Each structure stands twice: as C-alpha cells, then as structure tokens.
Amino acid sequence: MFEPILPTKLYTPRLRSKMVRRLRLLRRLNDGLGRKLTLISASPGCGKTTLVSQWLAGCPRPAAWLSMDEEDRDPVRFLTYLFAAMREVGIDAGEGILGTLQTSRPLRLEMILAALLPKIGVTPEPFILVLDDYHVVDSKTMDDAVAWLIEHMPPQMHLVIVTRQDPDLPLARLRVRDELTEVRTNDLRFTTSETAEFLGTVMGLSLSEEDIVLLATRTEGWIAGLQLAALSMQGHPDASGFVQSFTGSHHHVMDYLVEEVLQTQPVNIQDFLLHTSILDRLSGPLCDAVFHMEAGNQEDASRFGQEMLEYLERANLFIVPLDNMRHWYRYHHLFADLLRKRLHQRIIQNKEKGVTDIAELHIRASAWYEDNGLVMEAFHHAAAAHDVDRAVRLIEGGGMPLLFRGAITPILNWLESLPQTELDARPSLYVMHASALLMAGQMKEVERKLQAAEHALQGAGQAMKTPDLIGHMASIRAALAVSRHQADTILAESRLALEHLHQGNLPVRAATMWSLGYAHQLQGDHAAAGLAYSEALSISRKIGHLIITIMAELGLGNIREADNQLRAAAGAYQQVLGLAGDPPLPAACEAYLGLARIAYERNDLDTAEQYALRAFQLAQQFEDTDRAVACEVFLAKLKLALGEWREAAAVLARVDRSARQQHFLNQIPHIAEVQVLILLHQGDVEEADRLAQQYGLQFSKARVHLAKDHPAAALDVLETLRRQAEANNREDERLKVMVLQAIALHGNGDKIKAVKRFADALALAESEGFIRTFLDEGAPMKGLLREAAGYDIMPNDLGRLLTAMEAEGLEIKDEPDRRSAQAGKLLIEPLSNRELEVLRLIAQGLSNREISERLFIALTTVKGHNRIIFDKLQVKRRTEAVARARQLGLL
C-alpha cells in the first residue's frame, strides 16, 4: 500500500540537534541523492522506517512511499499500489498502463515499468520512491524487475529500499559505479549518550548513568527494545530493578516487553490493540467495525476507533500514520506480529469464556471493506477467516468477477490452499480454478480442473448441476481451443456455453461471443464472425470489460481488412489505440500490426515499418504467444519490399527456429510463404517449389508455376482458389487471385483477357488504395503493365502503379542506350567508381554491414557513401536509388 510521508514523533528538532551521529546519517542520505539507490538494510526494530521518515520530512524532494507486504508478490497488486504511490508525486501512469493490469495474460514487470519510464522522464522535479519492508516480498521476479528499474530509471528518480536483509540486487556493481548509499544496523544503533537523551527527553524517565549504560548494553542500542523498555518503566515503582531484570535475545526481549507494555494499559486499550492487530491498515470506522462489540459501552461509538488511534499515536505505542489527515494508520510490524501472537494465545486460553475468535474478527473486517467498495481487501479477510462461501461471493464480484479485474494471483494462491474435500463439495471452485489458470497462461492444468469439476458434479447429484456452471466450463474449453486455433472445437464449446450460461452472466457471455467470432473468422465466415464480434463488443461496453472490448474491435478490424475495406479497418484499429491508452496496452500490438499492413498495402513503407516496430515492442510484453513472431514475419516481408532481401532471409531463418522451438506451428506456413518470395527473387525455383508443396501454399504454387513459365498450370491452381474465395466471400483472396490470373493469362498469350482481368482487379482495388498487391508480383507484373498501358483503362490508377513500379526498379520501357547517353546530363554530379561499386552492392540486396565487410571499409563510411549516392541521384531510399540508377543505365 502507498504511504505519504510524515515526520515521526520519536525525535524532536531540539533532540536531533544533539544527536550528532544521527545528523551525519541524515547528511549521508542527502548526499546519496546524487546516486541511484539508497539501501537501508538492518535488523527488526532498529528504526529504519523512522530514519527515512525523519529524513524525508526535511527533504525538499517529494516522495512516493510504498509499504510492501507478502501480497505484493502478485505483480498486479504491486503495480496497482505503485501507481497509486506515484500519483502522490504527480506521476500518472495513464489508462494504458492501468488497463494492462486487466489483461488475462501474464505480463513481465519489466515491460510495465518500461512503459512507466517515459512518464517519469518528463517529470520536471526530481522525486524519491521508497520501497519499505522490501524483505517480505522475497520474490526473484520482483528482484529482477527492481534491478532492471535501477539500471534504466531516469535521473529525476531516486530509489530507497528499506529492508531487514539485503535484496538479490547487483549491489557490488552499484558500489563500484558509486551508485549506492548504504545504511546498516551498526549505523542505526543508539550510543549510550543517545540512549540517555532518548530516555530522558522523549520518554520522560530519570535513570542513573549506570542504569542507562546497562540498558544500552542489554538492548545493544536497539531502538525498538529501548522504546518498549521505556514504556514498561513509565510508572514502574522500581525502574532500576526493572533494568537489572530483563535480558536475552531481541525476540525474547520483545515478547517480554510487549507483555509488560500491555499489562500497563487499561483493559479496553489492551483489547483494542489485540483485536485490531489482524488489520494491515487501521482507520477509525474499520476499527469500530472489528471492535464493535467492545465499543458498545462508549458514549460515541462511531468515534471510538478514531479517538483510540489518536491516543495510541500520542502515547508512542508503535503506530504509524499513513496520511496527512490521520485517517489511516498501521502498527509497527514487529509490534503487530507479537500482538497477533498474544491474541491467538488469549483465544486458546479463554475459549470456554466466549472470547471472539480470529475468524470472526476477519469476517467483520471483510464486511466493512465490502460495504466500502474495497472488494479485494474484503476477499483477503474472507480468505483469512476461511469463510469459503463469502470468499467465493466476493470473487464473483457482483457482475464483474475479480478474476477479470486482474486479481489472478491471490485467487490462485487461495484456491491452491484449499483442501480437496472443500473443492469436491463445491464444484464451482474447480471451475473458478480452471478459469484462473487459463488467465494466468497455465494451460496444462486447465482441463484437469474441469474434469475434476465434472467428477464432483456427478458425486453431488443433479441439484448441483447448474446450467450456468456447465456453460462456464464450456466457455473455458472454447478459450483453450482459441489458443490452439481449433475452429471446430471453439464453435462446439461456445455454442454449448451460450446455451447454458445464465443471461445475467455477462462477463463470461462476452468472452464466449468473442471466441465464437474467432472460430468463424478461422473458418472464413466473415459475416458470422462480424455478428459475433459485434455482440461481444456490445456486452463488453455495457459492463466495462476493457479487454474484450479491445479484442472485439480488433476482430472487426480484421474482418474489414479481409473484406478489402482498408479505410474501415484502419478506423477500427485506431479505435483500439484510443481504448488502449497512452502508453498502450500490450493487446494494442494487433492494432499496430493491422495499421502496418494497411500502410504497406498503400506503399507507405516508412509508416508501415514504424507501426510494425511498435507492434513488435508491445508483442514482446506477452509470454507464450506467437504475436512477436507474426510481427517479425511482417518485418521480413517489408525488408524484401525495400530491396533488403538478404536481411529478410536472415530474419526469417531466425524466426523459423524460434517458432519451432516455441511450438508456434501455425506461424510456419506464413514464414514459408515469405521464404518462397525470397527464393523466387534469388532464382531458386526448385527450393521455392519444394516449400510451396510441403506447406500446401496455393498462391505460392501459382507463383512457382509462373516462374517456371507454366502459365496454364498456374491458371488451374488459381481457378480452384477463385471458386473457394467466392464461396467463402474472401475478398482479399479474390483480389490476389485476379491479379495472378491476369499475369498468367498474359503469359499464356491471352492478352485481351489478361488486360480485362487486370482492369477488373484495378477497379476492385481503386477506392481503397491498393498498390503492393500488384507491385509484390515483381517482374511478371512488368509485362502486364506494359500491355495495359496501351489500353485506355483507368489511366489515373494505372499511372499510379506505373510510377510505383518504376520506383521498384522494374522499368516499363527498355531504353538503356538512351538512358546511358543521358545519364551524365541528368546527374548534377557523376558517381565515383567507389560510389558505383557501393550502388551495385545495394542493388544486389546487401545490407550496409555486409557492404562494409565486402569492401573492407567502416560501416560509417558505407553510410556516408549512401548519403552521397542518394543526393546525387536525388532520391531518399535504397529502392529508389536502384530504380533511378537503372533508369540512367548505371546498372
């Protein structure tokens, strides 16, 4: 939870001025602001938090304070509280990052923190982030994320870690770089003079010098022990005898002193301390709810809790305020632990007297949190009370389950802690467990949990077989099939789910409708897919389910793109980016990739590359998905269009290995399709033919037939594709078929039919700006365009294609002699021999690095030659340079 910083009462300004060593510590902390990390690592009760609070009270920099507990091992919970703390210093994470926490897929902390860094980088004022009680998290995932943050955080940020033990961070490297300030146990121990000052001035005790020395020795300067001892001695008839009597380790001293402190308090305060010790945070109304039976004799019961908290703060009874308004507090962690231990002992000893048990206290806290809209905290206390029915009801969330709000890890942990007998008695818990595992990406165990639910249902009798539960199980199985792209299974399970799900179960119905849309899309039934996506969109908007809203919009964008409605598709993808926020949710990678495909089709290759790289960055935030592979396949195709076919081949080889290693087998045909294009470009027709046959790539087979000068065979393949495209209303495939048919007819000597089919394709593509569908056919398109130029068909669109084709280096008219003669006249300055050499290697598809290695020159020198060549040829990129050089007869 986040804790705004407040000065503590332990040291007054007058007292601090006398504590020279304490002032040195404060100076050390101030001096450390120029470094990245301050580590306060010391044993319990040494005053770590007090020191940092005192320092920040006098520090001009604003501070965000995050007090951590075991629940913060859950990344969603940690990030939620982190973002809340950051808002206290004016840094708003933004809807995109916050929305990421709702995703059902596991996310890497480093990626979320990377999205937060730009927000920090534009903050005008430097600030401090404090991670208090860091040791309780004990998570390698957290350590790795914090190490990454330290390495990359902007200079405006300074990190403070307060912990009982050194975290698993690269501390040695930070020391060597002078990026670490450290405060240890020995730095925090009170000296004898400081002990005397504290006992006399703060605690109001009058002790002899001998007693002070003995107390300092016995406590080893341990601040918590000194404070407990001082509280115990207040009003004690024999303070000196008390000092002489206690000894032992810190833990024994704490047990003893807490007992002493409790015995000196009135009974109602003892009861209040013990009963409220179950709470991680304390507020007046919450304490009243937990302690309401004992507060019944108060004149103003509604103020009892708040007044008690204020009294405890005045009495220095180990309570820490968490906000400036004194609405929220917490007990010192050591103190709370020992209070809970004492509460447990009291309940055991007084069971027959009807003393309130711990479960009842947790139920009261859960009820208060639920009434105040804090459902996650309510669930936490219900789970602590072992009230399964209440916990289940809270998880279900009254319309929006906690699982859909990102609370996957705590729910999984709770479910895994339940005995099998509890699960067998409530089959719905098995279904809930399966759903949580699915959202956590732990696919292997999902089906086993569903089978356990079915077995439990059979044992429970027909009364337990609620239709909604059966529908939920079917919906989970549909989602499992989505991850495997199994259209038939998705359809069957989705329909079963919709048949049984309760009409009011809108979150699961929305997810099921999306799965149904995906199945229809896989089968090529775009009309049915569009209807299902639209229904999912309508439901998700109604209930505020952001992820399904985004996924449904993406589905509709995919359908429109496949129907050649590029403008409408781009609008849907832009809508997704608006929903995904800034910085965007990882799911926005699909929208960026869709926009990249559209920009590519319109031959805006620079924009396409920008979109694709953004998609790739976001796709890397997901684990166990093929989205990053899909982005790289597109980038390889883009490199091929830019003339960088060697780089494209290298990318595909790497991606092919990665896809096979990760079993993303559905991506292998897409990889092979681009590999065929590269092989045809290289003239390796036999290998291209082998790949096309191996993976059943029908369009690739047609291109291979054309490359072998077998246009009739190509036409046979294309006719089958045409019938399939028309039967399935696949407009994107229909356009590709028409383009290839025109090329094949032209190669077969049917020039009039070829031009007519080409004109039909051009008419189909005219309004949406298609270019690459024509250009990507390369050399075979050249002859067809030359033929079409002789007819009066759509001159504007044909002219646009002719211009683009020339820029690709595929000239429509062969006039090399004339161009060669005019080359010198057209160039402002002729190319040098070295520049011509570089230009020829560019035309061969070599990258800048490959050119530098071939010519034994520096990479920067190659880039310099490129700039000069581009300037002389008056072009901006490699493909244009090659095209221009060919026009001038230089190649």
Side-chain angles (χ1 to χ4, degrees), residues 389-442:
D389 290 335
R390 168 176 278 275
V392 169
R393 181 174 58 76
L394 290 166
I395 290 173
E396 290 172 349
M400 181 60 79
L402 287 180
L403 283 172
F404 292 148
R405 303 184 209 177
I408 299 170
T409 301
I411 292 173
L412 266 179
N413 292 340
W414 174 68
L415 288 166
E416 289 167 359
S417 73
L418 295 177
Q420 185 173 341
T421 53
E422 195 75 63
L423 298 169
D424 288 339
R426 293 177 174 85
S428 63
L429 291 177
Y430 279 121
V431 179
M432 185 183 295
H433 203 165
S435 182
L437 289 168
L438 177 70
M439 292 182 178
Q442 300 176 28

Side-chain angles (χ1 to χ4, degrees), residues 79-99:
L79 291 167
T80 299
Y81 284 126
L82 174 63
F83 297 157
M86 298 296 272
R87 281 198 295 272
E88 293 295 310
V89 293
I91 298 173
D92 189 349
E95 291 300 320
I97 301 180
L98 293 173

